[in-house]
Each structure stands twice: as C-alpha cells, then as structure tokens.
Amino acid sequence: MKVTFQPNDVLIVVDVQNDFCPGGKLALDEGDEVVPVINAMIAQAQESDIPVFVSRDWHPRHHVSFDERGGSWPEHCVQGTKGAEFHPDLSVPDNARLVSKGARFDIDQYSAFDKTGLVSELVHMNVKRVWVVGLALEVCVKATALDAVKNDYETLLVEDGTRFIDRADAEKTRAELKDAGVIFK
Ligand code: VGL
Ligand code: ZN
C-alpha cells in the first residue's frame, strides 16, 4: 500500500454511494471496486488516529443538476433513497465526519469544500495534508482535490481508490490535477 499517513493528515472519501456503483442511477463501471481499496485506507487511518471525512451527494428531488431541470445528469443520490446510501460494503467509521453536498435546489456542489464548512474543520484540526479518494474522478473527486490545493493543503490522490465516469477524460483530468499540484499516488 502506497499510503503513509503523517500526523496532521486527513482522509476525504468522496461520494462512494450506491447510485455511482453498478446498478445505480449514475453508475460508473467498476465504481464498487474502490470499496476494498478505500476500506484498507480507512482502517489504516483509524489505526493512526487520522480523521476520516466522508462526503455524500445529497440531492433533493427535482434538483437543478437533474436533466428534468436542464441539468447535466439523470436523477441520482436523492436524499433518503437507497441510491443515496453509502455502498453497503464501505466501512464508514462511527467517528467519521459526514459532509453532505448538493442539498440545495438551486445550486450544485461538486466539491466537498463548497459551502460545507469543511475548511473550518480542517483549520480547527490543524490539518496540513489531505488524501482524496472516491467517485467520480473527473467530477467530485477532481473538484474536491482542486479546492484542497486552493486552500493550501498538500493534496494526495490515490488513483486506485477512484474511478472515472468516462475514461475518455482520463488524460485531461490527470493533467489538470497534476498542473494544479495534486500528487498522484
Ligand atoms: C457526482 C455527478 C453528479 C460525483 C455528483 O459525486 O462525482 N457526479 N453529481
Ligand atoms: Zn450529483
């Protein structure tokens, strides 16, 4: 495992929810394959007292990002539905900090940093580095990693623990993240 946590690290697990996994409403091929990788990272974080944040896409019905309202996506991750639940095999620790996003009708939030209060938490905890994994790499993982860099965190992305919606975007997305300063592990 390429992960070596240091004091003042946190792990951010982005949107590992049923709707982004095979059988879900916005399913990524192999989206569920991130689960064992992320579970191993979570276990390692817990052993090292590294805080774990888990974000979830948490839309109301008729959210602005849905195609019925001219948005980019089919309906997905509707609050209270099975599709919005974390993948059943994801071992979310009891002490994980939950970050909900996309819960307003009128705006979308791809980044776990976007108006969620996450930065205040990280400042309060004196965090220096963030590890980012989850779904989907070119959407919410990318937005989260770019915001982590913007907020001056050393940002590490474990690609094994992520998947693309569309692999055609892979090279462009990797280049964009690397140019911004995200470190690939
Ligand atoms: C996401 C598409 C729409 C994500 C969220 O979590 O990557 N993708 N909403
Ligand atoms: Zn969404």
Side-chain angles (χ1 to χ4, degrees):
M1 165 83 77
K2 304 166 223 166
V3 179
T4 39
F5 290 119
Q6 295 172 9
N8 308 105
D9 284 1
V10 292
L11 173 61
I12 303 176
V13 178
V14 177
D15 302 1
V16 182
Q17 292 165 274
N18 288 323
D19 272 344
F20 297 125
C21 293
K25 292 186 168 165
L26 212 173
L28 282 64
D29 297 339
E30 306 160 1
D32 54 339
E33 289 181 4
V34 302
V35 172
V37 178
I38 295 175
N39 282 347
M41 289 179 70
I42 289 173
Q44 203 179 327
Q46 292 283 93
E47 275 168 32
S48 315
D49 279 327
I50 297 301
V52 177
F53 288 79
V54 286
S55 75
R56 63 180 178 181
D57 213 32
W58 193 241
H59 298 312
R61 280 186 201 286
H62 314 298
H63 186 250
V64 66
S65 75
F66 298 166
D67 45 23
E68 59 170 293
R69 287 189 59 194
S72 311
W73 311 108
E75 185 189 78
H76 64 280
C77 296
V78 171
Q79 297 170 12
T81 64
K82 198 88 195 153
E85 290 175 11
F86 292 118
H87 187 284
D89 298 334
L90 185 71
S91 35
V92 179
D94 289 341
N95 62 358
R97 289 148 166 92
L98 181 63
V99 180
S100 298
K101 59 187 186 55
R104 278 177 49 168
F105 280 110
D106 56 342
I107 58 162
D108 208 357
Q109 294 157 283
Y110 287 151
S111 163
F113 284 88
D114 188 6
K115 302 180 201 74
T116 59
L118 177 57
V119 176
S120 312
E121 281 293 292
L122 300 188
V123 169
H124 179 71
M125 296 166 135
N126 196 28
V127 168
K128 304 282 185 241
R129 301 200 307 176
V130 307
W131 294 81
V132 183
V133 286
L135 306 172
L137 182 43
E138 76 271 47
V139 187
C140 289
V141 172
K142 178 174 99 172
T144 299
L146 291 176
D147 272 352
V149 171
K150 274 185 205 134
N151 285 286
D152 290 328
Y153 293 107
E154 192 176 336
T155 306
L156 306 117
L157 190 149
V158 178
E159 199 173 344
D160 275 358
T162 70
R163 288 294 183 277
F164 288 99
I165 294 174
D166 184 355
R167 287 204 49 83
D169 295 331
E171 281 316 314
K172 189 170 151 267
T173 300
R174 285 194 196 100
E176 191 179 344
L177 287 165
K178 284 177 185 170
D179 286 350
V182 174
I183 299 159
F184 276 64
K185 287 285 180 182

